[in-house]
Amino acid sequence: MRLALSPYVSWYSHYIYLKPTGEWSVLPHTGQIYRYTGAKAIIAGTEIALDIKLSSARKYACLGEYNYTYNRDEYIPLTFSPPASMRNRVTWEQKYFNIYAELQSIASQHRVARNEDTTSGTMLFHLGVKTDISLGVTKAIIVLSVHNLFNTVYYNHLSFYRKIQVPESGRNFRILIKIPFKNKLK
């Protein structure tokens, strides 16, 4: 078992950030106007990672993060503060092959600045398969995965597109092929 906890605190006397003005641009399809502003701010949070070996072939991993922001001049949160999130992954491994299932939980974000919308939380499910294959003396890694398996409609709190109701990508399939070249360059 491995547990890692990484807390952090930052205290800024002049933090520069984008502040929503509540004004809308006269240009078509551009949305709300943001202005760079400075303020006294606190940013704190933590990241946590837990890895547990369930058996010789199965592993469990949990990764979580939380971020707290505070504008000390206006006594409100800073804009674009990411919501808390957690990833729970179970992996079954053999020598050159593994399969994983992952549940990604994203919390609702209700700690928002003035003129900033809240965002609902969501849960996403991902599946993947990874295998190693030999290409002569080089070993290639091939990963096939499907993200957002249940095609959940959700919005990213840090995206400008959520203001115009453009959701994040739905179900998507990925193929990743890794071929190391470092042995060839020697």
Side-chain angles (χ1 to χ4, degrees):
M1 182 173 96
R2 182 184 71 88
L3 175 66
L5 181 66
S6 304
Y8 56 90
V9 175
S10 300
W11 185 283
Y12 298 95
S13 59
H14 194 73
Y15 182 78
I16 298 172
Y17 67 101
L18 282 173
K19 180 179 181 179
T21 63
E23 302 169 23
W24 292 88
S25 174
V26 295
L27 300 172
H29 310 295
T30 54
Q32 185 172 202
I33 297 172
Y34 290 80
R35 288 198 178 93
Y36 283 102
T37 307
K40 294 177 185 170
I42 297 172
I43 299 176
T46 189
E47 295 175 355
I48 187 167
L50 173 66
D51 291 319
I52 299 173
K53 192 170 186 173
L54 302 171
S55 69
S56 62
R58 290 181 296 146
K59 291 191 316 186
Y60 168 75
C62 177
L63 303 169
E65 56 188 33
Y66 173 73
N67 194 356
Y68 174 85
T69 65
Y70 186 67
N71 181 330
R72 294 180 17 228
D73 291 341
E74 297 183 34
Y75 308 107
I76 59 174
L78 293 169
T79 55
F80 301 113
S81 298
S85 67
M86 181 177 290
R87 290 177 177 260
N88 292 286
R89 180 182 278 202
V90 176
T91 306
W92 177 75
E93 293 182 343
Q94 290 300 320
K95 190 171 183 180
Y96 298 107
F97 181 80
N98 80 34
I99 298 173
Y100 73 86
E102 180 177 281
L103 178 65
Q104 180 181 4
S105 305
I106 303 168
S108 298
Q109 182 55 287
H110 296 290
R111 290 194 74 252
V112 295
R114 276 185 212 97
N115 301 314
E116 185 180 23
D117 294 335
T118 61
T119 306
S120 298
T122 192
M123 295 182 95
L124 305 172
F125 191 69
H126 315 300
L127 291 174
V129 176
K130 180 181 117 179
T131 187
D132 299 342
I133 60 170
S134 294
L135 301 172
V137 294
T138 302
K139 188 186 293 184
I141 299 169
I142 298 175
V143 181
L144 304 170
S145 62
V146 58
H147 285 239
N148 195 358
L149 180 69
F150 300 119
N151 206 23
T152 305
V153 175
Y154 71 102
Y155 299 92
N156 181 345
H157 185 74
L158 302 181
S159 172
F160 286 103
Y161 293 113
R162 73 186 168 91
K163 282 292 247 187
I164 56 172
Q165 298 295 303
V166 176
E168 294 299 307
S169 62
R171 181 182 309 115
N172 59 86
F173 299 89
R174 302 175 182 186
I175 298 173
L176 173 67
I177 301 172
K178 295 181 189 178
I179 302 173
F181 290 103
K182 65 182 177 184
N183 293 340
K184 305 289 184 201
L185 299 176
K186 289 183 181 179

